[in-house]
Coordinates of all heavy atoms in Angstrom, one line a residue:
I1 N 114.2 95.6 87.4 CA 113.1 96.0 88.2 C 112.3 96.8 87.3 O 112.6 97.3 86.3 CB 113.6 96.9 89.5 CG1 114.3 98.1 89.1 CG2 114.4 95.9 90.5 CD1 114.8 99.0 90.2
L2 N 111.0 97.0 87.8 CA 110.0 97.8 87.0 C 109.5 99.0 87.9 O 109.2 98.7 89.0 CB 108.9 96.8 86.8 CG 107.8 97.3 85.6 CD1 108.6 97.6 84.3 CD2 106.8 96.2 85.4
V3 N 109.5 100.1 87.4 CA 109.2 101.3 88.1 C 107.9 101.8 87.5 O 107.4 101.3 86.4 CB 110.2 102.4 88.1 CG1 111.4 102.0 88.9 CG2 110.6 102.8 86.7
K4 N 107.3 102.9 88.1 CA 106.0 103.3 87.7 C 105.9 104.0 86.4 O 104.8 104.0 85.7 CB 105.4 104.3 88.7 CG 105.0 103.6 90.1 CD 104.4 104.6 91.1 CE 104.2 103.9 92.3 NZ 103.5 104.8 93.3
S5 N 106.9 104.7 86.0 CA 106.9 105.4 84.7 C 108.2 105.6 84.1 O 109.4 105.4 84.7 CB 106.4 106.9 85.0 OG 107.3 107.6 85.8
E6 N 108.3 106.0 82.9 CA 109.5 106.2 82.2 C 110.3 107.3 82.8 O 111.5 107.3 82.9 CB 109.2 106.5 80.7 CG 110.5 106.6 79.8 CD 110.1 106.7 78.3 OE1 108.9 107.1 78.0 OE2 111.1 106.7 77.6
K7 N 109.6 108.4 83.3 CA 110.2 109.5 84.0 C 111.0 109.0 85.2 O 112.1 109.4 85.6 CB 109.2 110.5 84.3 CG 109.6 111.7 85.1 CD 108.6 112.8 85.3 CE 109.1 113.9 86.1 NZ 109.2 113.8 87.5
Q8 N 110.2 108.1 86.0 CA 110.8 107.6 87.2 C 112.0 106.8 86.9 O 113.1 106.7 87.6 CB 109.8 106.8 88.0 CG 110.4 106.4 89.4 CD 109.3 105.7 90.2 OE1 108.7 104.7 89.7 NE2 109.0 106.2 91.4
R9 N 112.0 106.1 85.8 CA 113.1 105.2 85.4 C 114.4 106.1 85.1 O 115.5 105.8 85.6 CB 112.8 104.3 84.1 CG 114.0 103.5 83.6 CD 113.7 102.7 82.5 NE 113.8 103.4 81.3 CZ 113.7 102.9 80.1 NH1 113.6 101.6 80.0 NH2 113.7 103.5 79.0
I10 N 114.2 107.2 84.4 CA 115.3 108.0 84.2 C 115.9 108.6 85.5 O 117.1 108.6 85.6 CB 114.8 109.3 83.2 CG1 114.5 108.7 81.9 CG2 115.8 110.4 83.1 CD1 113.7 109.7 81.0
E11 N 114.9 109.1 86.4 CA 115.4 109.6 87.6 C 116.1 108.6 88.5 O 117.1 108.9 89.0 CB 114.2 110.1 88.4 CG 113.5 111.3 87.8 CD 112.2 111.7 88.4 OE1 111.7 111.0 89.3 OE2 111.7 112.7 88.1
L12 N 115.6 107.4 88.6 CA 116.3 106.4 89.4 C 117.6 106.0 88.8 O 118.6 105.9 89.5 CB 115.4 105.2 89.5 CG 116.0 103.9 90.2 CD1 116.5 104.3 91.7 CD2 115.0 102.8 90.3
R13 N 117.7 105.9 87.5 CA 119.0 105.5 86.8 C 120.0 106.6 87.1 O 121.2 106.4 87.3 CB 118.8 105.3 85.3 CG 118.0 104.1 85.0 CD 118.0 103.7 83.6 NE 119.3 103.4 83.1 CZ 119.9 103.7 81.9 NH1 119.1 104.3 81.0 NH2 121.0 103.3 81.6
N14 N 119.6 107.9 87.0 CA 120.5 109.0 87.3 C 120.9 109.0 88.8 O 122.1 109.2 89.0 CB 119.8 110.4 86.9 CG 119.7 110.5 85.4 OD1 120.5 110.0 84.7 ND2 118.8 111.4 85.0
Y15 N 120.0 108.7 89.6 CA 120.3 108.6 91.0 C 121.4 107.6 91.4 O 122.4 107.8 92.0 CB 119.0 108.4 91.8 CG 119.2 108.2 93.3 CD1 119.3 109.3 94.2 CD2 119.3 107.0 93.9 CE1 119.4 109.1 95.6 CE2 119.5 106.8 95.3 CZ 119.5 108.0 96.1 OH 119.7 107.8 97.5
L16 N 121.1 106.4 90.8 CA 122.1 105.3 91.0 C 123.4 105.6 90.4 O 124.4 105.2 90.9 CB 121.5 104.0 90.4 CG 120.3 103.4 91.2 CD1 119.7 102.3 90.4 CD2 120.5 103.2 92.6
K17 N 123.5 106.2 89.2 CA 124.7 106.6 88.6 C 125.6 107.5 89.6 O 126.8 107.4 89.5 CB 124.4 107.3 87.3 CG 125.6 107.6 86.4 CD 125.2 108.3 85.1 CE 126.5 108.5 84.3 NZ 126.0 109.0 82.9
E18 N 124.9 108.3 90.4 CA 125.6 109.2 91.3 C 126.5 108.4 92.3 O 127.4 108.9 92.8 CB 124.7 110.1 92.0 CG 124.0 111.2 91.2 CD 123.0 111.9 92.0 OE1 123.1 112.0 93.3 OE2 122.1 112.5 91.4
F19 N 126.0 107.1 92.4 CA 126.7 106.3 93.5 C 127.6 105.3 92.7 O 128.1 104.2 93.3 CB 125.7 105.6 94.4 CG 125.0 106.5 95.3 CD1 123.8 107.0 94.9 CD2 125.6 107.0 96.4 CE1 123.1 107.9 95.6 CE2 124.9 108.0 97.1 CZ 123.7 108.4 96.8
G20 N 127.9 105.4 91.4 CA 128.7 104.5 90.6 C 128.0 103.2 90.3 O 128.6 102.2 89.9
I21 N 126.7 103.2 90.3 CA 125.9 102.0 90.0 C 125.4 102.0 88.6 O 124.5 102.9 88.3 CB 124.7 101.8 90.9 CG1 125.2 101.6 92.3 CG2 123.9 100.5 90.5 CD1 124.1 101.7 93.4
E22 N 125.9 101.3 87.7 CA 125.5 101.2 86.3 C 124.3 100.5 86.0 O 124.2 99.4 86.5 CB 126.6 100.7 85.4 CG 127.9 101.5 85.4 CD 129.0 101.0 84.4 OE1 128.6 100.4 83.4 OE2 130.2 101.1 84.7
T23 N 123.4 101.1 85.3 CA 122.1 100.4 85.0 C 121.9 100.5 83.4 O 122.7 101.2 82.8 CB 120.9 101.1 85.7 OG1 120.8 102.4 85.2 CG2 121.2 100.9 87.2
R24 N 120.9 99.9 82.9 CA 120.5 100.0 81.6 C 119.0 99.6 81.5 O 118.6 98.9 82.3 CB 121.4 99.2 80.7 CG 121.4 97.7 80.9 CD 122.5 97.0 80.1 NE 122.7 95.7 80.5 CZ 121.9 94.6 80.1 NH1 121.1 94.8 79.2 NH2 122.1 93.4 80.5
P25 N 118.4 100.1 80.5 CA 117.0 99.8 80.2 C 116.9 98.3 80.0 O 117.8 97.6 79.6 CB 116.6 100.6 79.0 CG 117.6 101.6 78.8 CD 118.9 101.1 79.5
T26 N 115.8 97.7 80.4 CA 115.7 96.3 80.3 C 115.7 95.8 78.8 O 116.5 95.0 78.5 CB 114.2 95.8 80.8 OG1 113.2 96.6 80.3 CG2 114.3 95.8 82.3
F27 N 114.9 96.2 78.0 CA 114.8 95.8 76.6 C 114.0 96.7 75.7 O 113.2 97.5 76.2 CB 114.3 94.4 76.5 CG 112.8 94.3 76.9 CD1 111.8 94.4 75.9 CD2 112.4 94.1 78.2 CE1 110.5 94.4 76.3 CE2 111.1 94.0 78.5 CZ 110.1 94.3 77.5
H28 N 114.3 96.7 74.5 CA 113.5 97.3 73.5 C 112.6 96.2 72.9 O 113.1 95.2 72.4 CB 114.3 98.0 72.4 CG 115.2 99.0 73.0 ND1 114.7 100.3 73.3 CD2 116.5 99.1 73.1 CE1 115.7 101.0 73.7 NE2 116.8 100.4 73.7
P29 N 111.2 96.4 72.9 CA 110.4 95.3 72.3 C 110.9 95.1 70.8 O 111.1 95.9 70.1 CB 109.0 96.0 72.3 CG 109.1 96.9 73.5 CD 110.5 97.5 73.4
V30 N 110.9 93.8 70.5 CA 111.4 93.3 69.2 C 110.7 94.0 68.1 O 111.2 94.5 67.1 CB 111.3 91.8 69.1 CG1 111.6 91.3 67.7 CG2 112.3 91.1 70.1
H31 N 109.3 94.2 68.3 CA 108.5 94.8 67.1 C 108.8 96.2 66.8 O 108.4 96.8 65.8 CB 107.1 94.6 67.4 CG 106.5 95.5 68.5 ND1 106.7 95.2 69.8 CD2 105.8 96.6 68.4 CE1 106.1 96.1 70.5 NE2 105.6 97.0 69.7
T32 N 109.7 96.8 67.7 CA 110.1 98.2 67.5 C 111.5 98.3 66.9 O 111.9 99.4 66.5 CB 110.1 99.0 68.9 OG1 111.1 98.5 69.7 CG2 108.7 99.0 69.5
M33 N 112.2 97.3 66.7 CA 113.5 97.2 66.0 C 113.3 97.2 64.5 O 112.4 96.7 64.0 CB 114.2 96.0 66.5 CG 114.5 96.0 67.9 SD 115.5 94.4 68.4 CE 115.5 94.6 70.1
P34 N 114.2 98.1 63.9 CA 114.0 98.4 62.5 C 113.8 97.2 61.6 O 112.9 97.2 60.7 CB 115.3 99.1 62.1 CG 115.8 99.7 63.4 CD 115.3 98.8 64.4
M35 N 114.4 96.1 61.8 CA 114.3 94.9 60.9 C 113.0 94.2 61.2 O 112.6 93.3 60.4 CB 115.5 94.0 61.1 CG 115.6 93.3 62.4 SD 116.2 94.4 63.6 CE 117.8 93.8 64.0
Y36 N 112.2 94.5 62.3 CA 111.0 93.8 62.5 C 109.7 94.7 62.5 O 108.7 94.3 62.8 CB 111.0 93.1 63.9 CG 112.2 92.1 64.1 CD1 113.4 92.4 64.7 CD2 112.0 90.9 63.3 CE1 114.3 91.4 64.9 CE2 113.1 90.0 63.4 CZ 114.2 90.2 64.2 OH 115.1 89.2 64.2
I37 N 110.0 96.0 62.2 CA 108.8 96.9 62.2 C 107.8 96.5 61.2 O 108.2 96.4 59.9 CB 109.2 98.3 62.0 CG1 110.0 98.8 63.2 CG2 108.1 99.3 61.7 CD1 110.5 100.2 63.1
E38 N 106.5 96.3 61.5 CA 105.5 95.9 60.5 C 104.3 96.8 60.9 O 103.3 96.5 60.2 CB 105.2 94.4 60.7 CG 106.3 93.6 60.2 CD 105.9 92.0 60.4 OE1 104.8 91.7 60.9 OE2 106.6 91.2 59.9
G39 N 104.4 97.7 61.7 CA 103.3 98.6 62.0 C 102.4 98.1 63.1 O 101.4 98.6 63.5
N40 N 102.8 97.0 63.8 CA 102.0 96.4 64.8 C 102.3 97.2 66.1 O 103.4 97.7 66.3 CB 102.3 94.9 65.0 CG 101.9 94.1 63.8 OD1 101.0 94.4 63.1 ND2 102.7 93.1 63.5
S41 N 101.3 97.1 67.0 CA 101.5 97.8 68.3 C 101.2 96.7 69.4 O 100.2 96.0 69.3 CB 100.5 98.9 68.5 OG 100.5 99.5 69.8
Y42 N 102.0 96.6 70.4 CA 101.9 95.8 71.5 C 102.1 96.6 72.7 O 103.2 96.8 73.3 CB 103.0 94.6 71.4 CG 102.7 93.8 70.2 CD1 103.5 94.1 69.0 CD2 101.8 92.7 70.1 CE1 103.3 93.3 67.9 CE2 101.6 92.0 69.0 CZ 102.3 92.3 67.9 OH 102.1 91.5 66.7
P43 N 101.0 97.2 73.2 CA 101.1 98.2 74.2 C 101.8 97.7 75.6 O 102.5 98.4 76.3 CB 99.6 98.7 74.5 CG 99.0 98.2 73.3 CD 99.7 97.1 72.7
I44 N 101.5 96.5 75.8 CA 102.0 96.0 77.1 C 103.5 95.8 77.1 O 104.3 96.3 77.9 CB 101.4 94.6 77.6 CG1 99.9 94.9 78.0 CG2 102.1 94.0 78.8 CD1 99.1 93.7 78.1
A45 N 104.1 95.3 76.0 CA 105.5 95.1 75.8 C 106.1 96.5 75.7 O 107.2 96.8 76.3 CB 105.8 94.4 74.5
E46 N 105.5 97.5 75.1 CA 106.0 98.8 74.9 C 106.1 99.5 76.4 O 107.0 100.2 76.6 CB 105.2 99.6 73.9 CG 105.3 99.1 72.5 CD 104.2 99.6 71.7 OE1 103.6 100.7 71.9 OE2 104.1 99.0 70.5
D47 N 105.1 99.3 77.1 CA 105.0 99.9 78.5 C 106.2 99.3 79.3 O 106.8 100.0 80.0 CB 103.7 99.7 79.1 CG 103.6 100.1 80.5 OD1 103.9 101.3 80.7 OD2 103.3 99.3 81.4
L48 N 106.3 98.0 79.4 CA 107.4 97.4 80.0 C 108.8 97.7 79.7 O 109.6 98.0 80.5 CB 107.2 95.8 80.0 CG 105.9 95.2 80.6 CD1 105.9 93.7 80.3 CD2 105.9 95.3 82.1
G49 N 108.9 97.9 78.3 CA 110.2 98.3 77.8 C 110.5 99.7 78.2 O 111.7 100.1 78.3
K50 N 109.6 100.5 78.5 CA 109.7 102.0 78.9 C 110.0 102.1 80.5 O 110.7 103.1 80.8 CB 108.7 102.9 78.6 CG 108.4 103.0 77.1 CD 107.2 103.9 76.8 CE 107.0 104.0 75.3 NZ 105.8 104.7 75.0
R51 N 109.7 101.1 81.2 CA 109.7 101.2 82.6 C 110.7 100.3 83.3 O 111.1 100.4 84.5 CB 108.4 101.0 83.3 CG 107.3 101.9 82.9 CD 106.0 101.8 83.6 NE 105.4 100.5 83.4 CZ 105.0 99.7 84.3 NH1 105.2 100.0 85.5 NH2 104.4 98.5 84.0
G52 N 111.3 99.4 82.5 CA 112.2 98.4 83.2 C 113.6 98.8 83.2 O 114.1 99.6 82.5
I53 N 114.3 98.4 84.3 CA 115.7 98.7 84.6 C 116.5 97.5 84.9 O 116.0 96.7 85.9 CB 115.9 99.7 85.8 CG1 115.2 101.0 85.6 CG2 117.4 99.9 86.1 CD1 115.1 101.9 86.8
N54 N 117.6 97.3 84.2 CA 118.5 96.1 84.6 C 119.5 96.7 85.5 O 120.2 97.6 85.4 CB 119.2 95.6 83.3 CG 118.4 94.7 82.4 OD1 117.6 93.9 83.0 ND2 118.6 94.8 81.2
L55 N 119.5 96.1 86.7 CA 120.6 96.3 87.7 C 121.8 95.5 87.4 O 121.7 94.5 86.7 CB 120.0 96.1 89.1 CG 118.8 96.9 89.5 CD1 118.3 96.4 90.9 CD2 119.2 98.3 89.6
P56 N 122.9 95.9 88.1 CA 124.2 95.0 87.8 C 123.9 93.6 88.2 O 123.3 93.3 89.2 CB 125.2 95.7 88.8 CG 124.7 97.1 88.9 CD 123.2 97.0 88.8
S57 N 124.4 92.7 87.3 CA 124.4 91.3 87.6 C 125.6 90.6 86.8 O 125.5 90.7 85.6 CB 123.1 90.7 87.3 OG 122.8 90.8 85.9
Y58 N 126.5 90.1 87.6 CA 127.6 89.4 86.9 C 128.2 88.5 88.0 O 127.9 88.6 89.2 CB 128.7 90.4 86.4 CG 129.0 91.5 87.4 CD1 130.2 91.2 88.2 CD2 128.3 92.6 87.6 CE1 130.5 92.2 89.2 CE2 128.8 93.6 88.4 CZ 129.9 93.4 89.3 OH 130.2 94.3 90.1
P59 N 128.9 87.5 87.5 CA 129.4 86.4 88.5 C 130.3 87.0 89.6 O 130.1 86.3 90.7 CB 130.3 85.6 87.6 CG 129.8 85.7 86.2 CD 129.4 87.2 86.2
D60 N 130.9 88.0 89.4 CA 131.8 88.5 90.6 C 131.1 89.5 91.6 O 131.7 90.1 92.4 CB 133.1 89.1 90.1 CG 134.0 88.1 89.5 OD1 133.9 86.9 89.9 OD2 134.8 88.4 88.5
L61 N 129.8 89.7 91.3 CA 129.1 90.7 92.1 C 128.9 90.0 93.6 O 128.5 89.0 93.8 CB 127.7 90.8 91.6 CG 126.8 92.0 92.2 CD1 127.4 93.3 91.8 CD2 125.4 91.9 91.5
S62 N 129.6 90.8 94.4 CA 129.6 90.3 95.9 C 128.3 90.6 96.7 O 127.5 91.4 96.3 CB 130.8 90.9 96.6 OG 130.5 92.3 96.8
E63 N 128.2 89.9 97.7 CA 126.9 90.2 98.6 C 127.0 91.5 99.0 O 125.9 92.1 99.3 CB 126.9 89.2 99.8 CG 125.7 89.3 100.6 CD 125.5 88.2 101.6 OE1 126.1 87.1 101.5 OE2 124.8 88.6 102.6
S64 N 128.1 92.2 99.3 CA 128.2 93.5 99.8 C 127.8 94.5 98.6 O 127.2 95.5 99.0 CB 129.6 93.9 100.4 OG 130.6 93.8 99.4
D65 N 128.1 94.2 97.5 CA 127.7 95.0 96.3 C 126.2 94.9 96.2 O 125.6 96.0 96.0 CB 128.3 94.4 95.0 CG 129.8 94.7 94.9 OD1 130.4 95.6 95.5 OD2 130.5 93.9 94.2
I66 N 125.7 93.7 96.3 CA 124.2 93.5 96.2 C 123.4 94.3 97.3 O 122.5 95.1 97.1 CB 123.8 92.1 96.3 CG1 124.3 91.3 95.1 CG2 122.3 91.9 96.5 CD1 124.2 89.8 95.2
R67 N 124.0 94.3 98.5 CA 123.5 95.1 99.6 C 123.5 96.6 99.4 O 122.6 97.3 99.7 CB 124.1 94.7 101.0 CG 123.8 93.4 101.4 CD 124.4 93.1 102.8 NE 124.3 91.7 103.2 CZ 123.1 91.2 103.7 NH1 122.1 92.0 103.8 NH2 123.1 89.9 104.0
F68 N 124.7 97.0 98.8 CA 124.9 98.5 98.5 C 123.8 98.9 97.4 O 123.2 99.9 97.5 CB 126.2 98.7 98.0 CG 126.6 100.2 97.6 CD1 126.6 101.1 98.6 CD2 126.7 100.5 96.3 CE1 126.8 102.5 98.2 CE2 126.9 101.8 96.0 CZ 127.0 102.8 96.9
I69 N 123.8 98.1 96.4 CA 122.9 98.4 95.2 C 121.4 98.5 95.8 O 120.7 99.5 95.5 CB 122.9 97.5 94.1 CG1 124.4 97.5 93.4 CG2 121.8 97.6 93.1 CD1 124.7 96.4 92.6
T70 N 121.0 97.5 96.5 CA 119.6 97.4 96.9 C 119.3 98.5 98.0 O 118.2 99.0 98.0 CB 119.2 96.0 97.5 OG1 120.1 95.7 98.6 CG2 119.2 95.0 96.4
S71 N 120.3 98.9 98.7 CA 120.1 100.0 99.8 C 120.0 101.3 99.0 O 119.1 102.1 99.4 CB 121.2 100.0 100.8 OG 122.4 100.6 100.2
K72 N 120.7 101.5 97.9 CA 120.5 102.7 97.2 C 119.1 102.8 96.5 O 118.5 103.9 96.4 CB 121.6 103.0 96.2 CG 122.9 103.2 96.9 CD 122.8 104.4 97.8 CE 124.1 104.6 98.7 NZ 123.8 105.4 99.9
V73 N 118.7 101.6 95.9 CA 117.4 101.6 95.3 C 116.4 101.9 96.4 O 115.5 102.7 96.1 CB 117.1 100.3 94.7 CG1 115.6 100.1 94.2 CG2 118.1 100.0 93.5
S74 N 116.5 101.4 97.5 CA 115.5 101.6 98.6 C 115.6 103.1 99.0 O 114.5 103.7 99.3 CB 115.9 100.7 99.8 OG 115.0 101.0 100.9
D75 N 116.7 103.6 99.2 CA 116.9 105.0 99.5 C 116.3 105.9 98.5 O 115.6 106.9 99.0 CB 118.4 105.4 99.6 CG 119.1 104.8 100.8 OD1 118.5 104.2 101.7 OD2 120.4 104.8 100.7
Y76 N 116.4 105.7 97.4 CA 115.7 106.4 96.2 C 114.1 106.5 96.5 O 113.5 107.6 96.5 CB 115.9 106.0 94.8 CG 115.1 106.6 93.8 CD1 115.4 107.8 93.3 CD2 113.9 106.0 93.4 CE1 114.6 108.4 92.4 CE2 113.2 106.5 92.5 CZ 113.5 107.8 91.9 OH 112.6 108.5 91.1
F77 N 113.6 105.3 96.7 CA 112.1 105.3 96.9 C 111.7 105.9 98.2 O 110.6 106.6 98.3 CB 111.6 103.9 96.7 CG 111.6 103.5 95.3 CD1 112.5 102.6 94.8 CD2 110.7 103.9 94.4 CE1 112.5 102.2 93.4 CE2 110.7 103.6 93.0 CZ 111.6 102.7 92.5
Y78 N 112.5 105.7 99.2 CA 112.2 106.4 100.6 C 112.2 108.0 100.4 O 111.5 108.6 100.9 CB 113.2 105.9 101.6 CG 112.9 106.5 103.0 CD1 111.9 106.0 103.7 CD2 113.7 107.6 103.5 CE1 111.6 106.5 104.9 CE2 113.5 108.1 104.7 CZ 112.4 107.6 105.5 OH 112.1 108.1 106.6
E79 N 113.2 108.4 99.8 CA 113.5 109.9 99.5 C 112.5 110.5 98.5 O 112.2 111.6 98.6 CB 114.9 110.2 99.1 CG 116.0 109.8 100.0 CD 117.3 110.0 99.5 OE1 117.5 110.6 98.4 OE2 118.3 109.5 100.1
N80 N 111.8 109.6 97.7 CA 110.9 110.2 96.6 C 109.5 109.7 96.8 O 108.9 109.2 95.8 CB 111.5 109.8 95.3 CG 112.8 110.6 95.0 OD1 112.7 111.8 94.8 ND2 113.9 109.9 95.1
K81 N 109.0 109.6 98.1 CA 107.7 109.2 98.3 C 106.6 110.1 97.7 O 106.7 111.2 97.6 CB 107.4 109.1 99.9 CG 108.1 108.0 100.6 CD 107.7 108.0 102.0 CE 108.3 106.9 102.7 NZ 108.0 106.8 104.2

């Protein structure tokens, strides 16, 4: 998922962690990785990399797990209007 800011990403990830929901950032843009740094800037990729969150996804994820995760994401946004 994509949130409004890097700060919000940190807050949401911490919130979900309180409920045992593991998340991780979506990706680091390739041009920022040491072996590919050439001094180029790609602001859109950098922005997306700072705001994206990977939610749990794996073959054994049950429908009830999905409902729990999505309800907690929804709760976060409802509580932080």
Side-chain angles (χ1 to χ4, degrees):
I1 62 173
L2 195 60
V3 296
K4 290 182 181 182
S5 67
E6 187 173 10
K7 179 180 182 273
Q8 188 176 57
R9 177 176 80 172
I10 292 166
E11 292 171 354
L12 176 56
R13 291 186 69 213
N14 288 335
Y15 178 84
L16 295 174
K17 187 176 183 177
E18 291 176 22
F19 297 96
I21 300 169
E22 294 184 33
T23 63
R24 58 189 169 89
T26 48
F27 64 91
H28 297 283
V30 171
H31 72 283
T32 65
M33 295 180 186
M35 66 285 250
Y36 298 111
I37 291 178
E38 294 180 355
N40 297 324
S41 177
Y42 299 95
I44 295 171
E46 293 164 18
D47 178 57
L48 294 173
K50 290 177 183 176
R51 298 186 299 125
I53 301 172
N54 281 322
L55 297 175
S57 60
Y58 51 91
D60 292 333
L61 193 64
S62 69
E63 187 171 332
S64 64
D65 290 335
I66 294 168
R67 290 183 189 281
F68 178 72
I69 293 164
T70 56
S71 73
K72 293 304 172 193
V73 171
S74 180
D75 291 348
Y76 169 82
F77 286 106
Y78 181 75
E79 293 171 13
N80 294 285
K81 285 184 181 180

